[in-house]
Amino acid sequence: MIIVHHLAASRSQRVLWLLEELGVPYEVKRYERDPKTMLAPPALRAIHPLGKSPIITDGDKTIAETGAIVEYLIDTYGNGRLVPAAGTPEKLRYTYWLHYAEGSAMPPMVMKLIFSRIPKAPELPFFIKPIARQLFAGVTKSFLDPQIKAHIALWDAELTKSPYFAGDELTGADILMSFPVEAAAARGTLTPRLTAYLTTIHARPAYQAALKTGGPYQLLTP
Ligand SMILES: N[C@@H](CCC(=O)N[C@@H](CS)C(=O)NCC(=O)O)C(=O)O
């Protein structure tokens, strides 16, 4: 039985969605975030040294990193589903978006989230807080926001070519990309095309079933 080590309201939700799409039985082990730091509990480090979610175990295998988990599950249980045929242009798009989601799209969004929390940190002396706030505002305006805007424009442009990130059908690339698109939606920065895309994927029965097994899914925002 596959066990998904699932951190509440996190990237891990995508793995539950994929397993529902594949119809593979799984068990969810749910971990709650520390209410102050929002970090994962130490118990996750017993499963994988970094202690970040998602992690799955499948028999004697332990697999971390969403992209690696998605590739493993589709290769092992997909029977050709959710991946374009080898050697096609769609397969290349699939590979690109599968790696891009965590490799390029998420870093500026995570950076913005972390920077936004620094000025509010209780351990920061009160006289530093205005400086920290100014620093955050400066970095956000000159660097992070333009980067995030360029990423969102790239996603939007891709969806003018086809309804999904790697062609006419839903693939693992959409499952990876759902999280950056949802994170941008939670920050209110989506285009109408991306909003319509989210509505389409959210309406899938497998997505809805995964929400039931994963529990409340409210993303952190800056
Ligand atoms: N690139 C990794 C990121 C893993 C990651 O940062 N997971 C977050 C969940 S959204 C986490 O575990 N955060 C809690 C922590 O860092 O303690 C992946 O996609 O698996």
Side-chain angles (χ1 to χ4, degrees), residues 34-46:
D34 180 299
K36 270 202 195 122
T37 63
M38 301 312 283
L39 292 176
L44 256 185
R45 284 202 288 274

Side-chain angles (χ1 to χ4, degrees), residues 67-135:
I69 294 171
V70 167
E71 274 202 75
Y72 168 79
L73 291 174
I74 289 177
D75 284 354
T76 312
Y77 299 102
N79 292 319
R81 288 171 298 162
L82 298 176
V83 55
T88 59
E90 287 76 22
K91 181 66 194 294
L92 192 55
R93 286 172 72 192
Y94 169 87
T95 304
Y96 173 76
W97 293 106
L98 199 78
H99 288 270
Y100 161 91
E102 286 295 326
S104 293
M106 285 313 297
M109 300 227 245
V110 172
M111 252 184 263
K112 187 169 171 180
L113 185 65
I114 292 169
F115 270 106
S116 73
R117 284 168 180 257
I118 294 172
K120 296 172 203 152
E123 53 279 359
L124 207 65
F126 75 93
F127 55 90
I128 300 287
K129 288 192 180 190
I131 302 169
R133 253 195 306 274
Q134 248 182 329
L135 193 67

Side-chain angles (χ1 to χ4, degrees), residues 7 10-11 14 33 38-40 51-54 65-66 102 179:
L7 182 65
S10 80
R11 285 163 163 85
R14 291 176 291 191
R33 292 175 184 270
M38 301 312 283
L39 292 176
K52 299 207 179 279
S53 176
E65 198 59 52
T66 318
E102 286 295 326
F179 190 71

Side-chain angles (χ1 to χ4, degrees), residues 196-216:
Y197 168 79
L198 268 193
T199 305
T200 304
I201 61 172
H202 287 172
R204 294 180 73 89
Y207 188 97
Q208 291 298 322
L211 281 184
K212 287 204 184 96
T213 56

